[in-house]
Amino acid sequence: MRIPPSITQKIAKISLTLACASAVAALVFVIGFVLVGGLKHVTWAFLTEPILDMGRAGGILPAIVGTILMVFVAIGIAAPLGIASAIYLAEYTQEGKVTQTIRFGINCLAGVPSIIFGLFGFILFVVMLGFGWSIISGGLSLAAMVLPTIIRTAEEAMRAVPRNYRDVAASLGATRWQVVTRAVLPYALPGVLTGVILGIGRSIEETAVVIFTAGSAVQMPRSLFDSARTMSVHFYILAREGISNDNAYATAAVLICTILVINITAYTMMHRLMRGRRAA
Amino acid sequence: MNRISMKALAVFVSCGFVFAALASNGCSRASANSITLAGSTAFQPFAEKLAERYGETHKDVQINVQGGGSAVGIQSALSGAAQIGMADLLELPPEAAALKSTVVARDGIAIVVNPVNSIKALTIDQARDVFSGKVANWKDLGGSDSPIHVISREEGSGTRRSFDKLVLVGAKLAPSALFQNSTGTVRQAVASDPTAIGYVSIGLVNDKVKALTYNGVPANDTNVKNGSYPLARPIFLLTKGEPSPQTKAFLDYMLSDEAQKTLEKEGLIAAK
Amino acid sequence: MDRFISKLLFIAACSSIAILALIALFIFKEGVPIIIRSGLGHFLFGRIWSPLEGQFGILPFIIGSLWVTAGALILGVPLGVACAVFLAEFAPARLAAVLKPAIELLAGIPSVVYGFLGVMWLAPIIRVHLGGPGLSILAASCVLAIMILPTIVGVSIDAIHAVPRSYKEGSLALGATEWQTAWRVILPAARSGILAGVILGMGRAVGETMAVIMISGNATQIPHSILDSVRTLTANIAIEMGYAVGDHREALFATGIVLFFFIMALNTVALRVARRRF
């Protein structure tokens, strides 16, 4: 028996809608669960007080500071390095053996599981270079982890810049570097920033790498060579050790709000930049 | 050179400098006023507590407490990554011979089950049989007809090694055992599974889990202290060579009456 | 000046390879000796992991990683591809414009949050209704399936969008319904792109650590059913690293080597597949 196409069309449409609805439901469930459980415990004091009694009392200020510093170090290193790599790949060279090798390296690096970055950072930065469990070790390891994301996104953005932008700039006598900085980069900026923001997001959510390389000290870090925990690590420890479910939820709520804000800002910023360009 | 390119170049170069400066700074390891403790996750929360107290009166000293495990405690004390190593082992391994060890406290190990479990006590043999998987159903112990989920610490943990020696005595842990990598997570796992059994520090027992009497003796501090409850192990603080004045001061603090009282209140057994 | 900048940029571009080489170097340096000492065969196919007694068999963890990843794919791929088809072909443009970034947001939620929710909510359900300890292959697969969903959806949508418009128009003009067009024309044309997305998701599932530690129970035996607890390669490293010294530590780095090769193989396949544009 053949089912008429109009019926299969209907069945398909309904089941696809259901599939998509369940994915969205998962999203709503995860975010809702955390926000409902956590937001009621988030107070100003929670955001500004030190971690007391292993996290059972007090706030999460050191974890917030730790997160910011670690992300700062990671992005401060990965962004210039990544954007420079992308400029080289997109603007300064022809496809060939060299770029193929570099691209292979980037792709492999992108696939390396975070736990391996953790092992690597532990051996190289913590033990061999003697940085100890510290923000700097954590930041460097995170930088290695987010580098491929930044390179790929930035390169893609630069490749999307129309050929004639470069040609016009070059015909006006601009050097290659001037072409890059004045014609290509401004146009590619939204894409490049997306990559950087993706990198920030990944650094914030990462747990394994940070525990292995930055330790999990609860004190407020005084220098980049002090150990610190990020909010993700703090949440992990609170939730897993059953120290305080309320504070775990609250930390997760702060964490998710941060990520929501970053994503939404990034998205609207990208949107505005694109629209502005189309209008110009 | 135009303005933007100069700026971009300046950013690159300064990043390079910052990186180089940080890298060279790293060898001279940060603030001289910081003490790092690393090791036993069983003692870590207590050490954090003491560090917090100590910090209230010694604002100039930064004390970092890291977990890692007893093995890491020994390793990092040997390598100098930590000034003080922490280890909870029945006896220290031979490589720790080069270190000066001080017993800071003793810690009892309680066998815990979910509060809804009707079982209240285990004999020495029963405990061994349960954890080695020989007895796999609660009904064989007089409980409900449900499989026993054994939850253990992972291989290498100080608590695990002590438990293996004290309870399993040569028998092997049940192959189906689940593993959690800290005593807190074992407690959490037991608290959420009505048919689970595990073991945690006596200090960590709370209303979410139920401690069983072992060989007829309830698991509590008094019984550990008077020696009638046998499941306990010492917690060592390890230092290499002559400690710095700051380290020495903190060590002395940890052994002081005040700190020992704090430890007792938190559920450990004072060393003295 | 331009030459100098060019050199500088080249050095930056080589940093990824340098990092990769350093990672490989360190992991191999730490891990290879134990593999040689205990023999590759014994290491890979040994069934018993008892590091303190010198038995380093990681077969249970290899099987664990395979089970958990397969489970995640079985649950996540149909759902992800269905979402992608819906968003790219069926949903009103406005709705798609909101839902696509929303689903991508799932990727930004820390994996530990997923793990925690799995432990609090999913594991008890499985334990009560299906039996076993709850912390199991099934639970881990469900959590991972949700985690890899954004990757699969995102890449698949891009692949579907890359199918030339004329394919769709031609099919519709011949009287095919939207579903027939999607199933018979668009999906086959976007196959390689979707496959690349699936392989990327697979990589993420294999590499995930913290969520898996929380939700899988970490038993060291070879699982018999999807309700059994299991330990993956990544979990083995993360759980025992803290306490490991000597041979034990080397064996964990060796586990990392196996994981490294596993992922490299996956990436190579993904790259091949992605390059094979229709």
Side-chain angles (χ1 to χ4, degrees), chain A residues 90-271:
Chain A
E91 304 293 330
Y92 268 78
T93 184
Q94 259 86 47
E95 288 301 308
K97 275 262 142 54
V98 179
T99 52
Q100 260 176 24
T101 320
I102 293 176
R103 270 213 183 85
F104 177 75
I106 295 169
N107 283 324
C108 285
L109 202 60
V112 171
S114 59
I115 184 84
I116 302 267
F117 283 105
L119 288 180
F120 160 72
F122 175 70
I123 286 289
L124 180 61
F125 303 126
V126 178
V127 178
M128 278 187 58
L129 295 179
F131 294 170
W133 290 289
S134 61
I135 294 176
I136 193 82
S137 302
L140 286 167
S141 312
L142 288 175
M145 187 184 79
V146 299
L147 187 63
T149 314
I150 294 180
I151 298 178
R152 278 169 159 184
T153 337
E155 195 199 342
E156 234 166 74
M158 286 178 209
R159 290 207 177 275
V161 176
R163 194 77 241 161
N164 56 355
Y165 271 59
R166 299 186 182 88
D167 295 343
V168 169
S171 69
L172 289 172
T175 63
R176 213 173 214 182
W177 180 241
Q178 286 170 327
V179 171
V180 170
T181 50
R182 308 209 93 173
V184 177
L185 271 186
Y187 191 96
L189 195 63
V192 173
L193 283 182
T194 314
V196 172
I197 288 166
L198 280 175
I200 294 176
R202 269 208 77 184
S203 313
I204 292 180
E205 66 151 329
E206 183 54 44
T207 317
V209 173
V210 180
I211 288 187
F212 273 46
T213 57
S216 57
V218 293
Q219 283 86 0
M220 177 66 84
R222 295 185 189 185
S223 82
L224 290 183
F225 289 93
D226 277 341
S227 163
R229 50 172 71 175
T230 60
M231 285 190 277
S232 295
V233 172
H234 188 58
F235 167 78
Y236 174 76
I237 292 173
L238 287 187
R240 214 167 130 59
E241 310 265 325
I243 292 173
S244 159
N245 263 353
D246 289 350
N247 282 352
Y249 275 121
T251 311
V254 174
L255 197 53
I256 283 195
C257 286
T258 315
I259 285 159
L260 278 177
V261 167
I262 289 178
N263 272 285
I264 291 169
T265 329
Y267 198 72
T268 46
M269 195 171 71
M270 243 42 77
H271 229 66

Side-chain angles (χ1 to χ4, degrees), chain A residues 52-54 80 130-133 136 140 177-178 182 215-217 219-220 222 225-227 239-242, chain B residues 2 5 12 15 19 22 25-26 29-30 45 48-49 52 59-60 62-64 66 180-182 184-185 187-188:
Chain A
L52 295 176
D53 203 2
M54 300 165 250
F131 294 170
W133 290 289
I136 193 82
L140 286 167
W177 180 241
Q178 286 170 327
R182 308 209 93 173
S216 57
Q219 283 86 0
M220 177 66 84
R222 295 185 189 185
F225 289 93
D226 277 341
S227 163
R240 214 167 130 59
E241 310 265 325
Chain B
N2 60 55
S5 59
F12 281 141
C15 281
F19 186 70
L22 290 174
N25 197 7
R29 206 137 193 331
E48 278 171 2
K49 188 96 201 172
E52 197 181 308
K59 297 242 182 278
D60 53 323
Q62 174 97 354
I63 299 170
N64 290 314
Q66 306 290 348
Q180 300 291 345
N181 60 341
S182 79
T185 53
R187 180 181 68 184
Q188 188 75 347

Side-chain angles (χ1 to χ4, degrees), chain C residues 51 58 96 134 148 198:
Chain C
I58 62 165
I148 64 172
V198 169

Side-chain angles (χ1 to χ4, degrees), chain C residues 4 18 22 40 46 72 76 82 87 118 123 137 154-155 169 177-178 216 227 239 274:
Chain C
F4 171 68
L22 277 178
L40 185 63
L87 290 177
I137 294 177
V155 179
E169 283 157 5
T177 63
E178 275 176 305
S216 67
L227 296 175
I239 280 196

Side-chain angles (χ1 to χ4, degrees), chain C residues 133-149:
Chain C
L135 303 173
S136 57
I137 294 177
L138 182 62
S141 298
C142 290
V143 168
L144 284 177
I146 293 179
M147 291 180 60
I148 64 172
L149 201 59

Side-chain angles (χ1 to χ4, degrees), chain C residues 65-77:
Chain C
S65 278
L66 289 175
W67 265 106
V68 168
T69 308
L73 291 179
I74 290 169
L75 294 168
V77 170

Side-chain angles (χ1 to χ4, degrees), chain B residues 3 22-23 31 45 50 55-56 82 142:
Chain B
R3 205 166 40 84
L22 290 174
S31 39
L50 291 183
E56 285 165 11

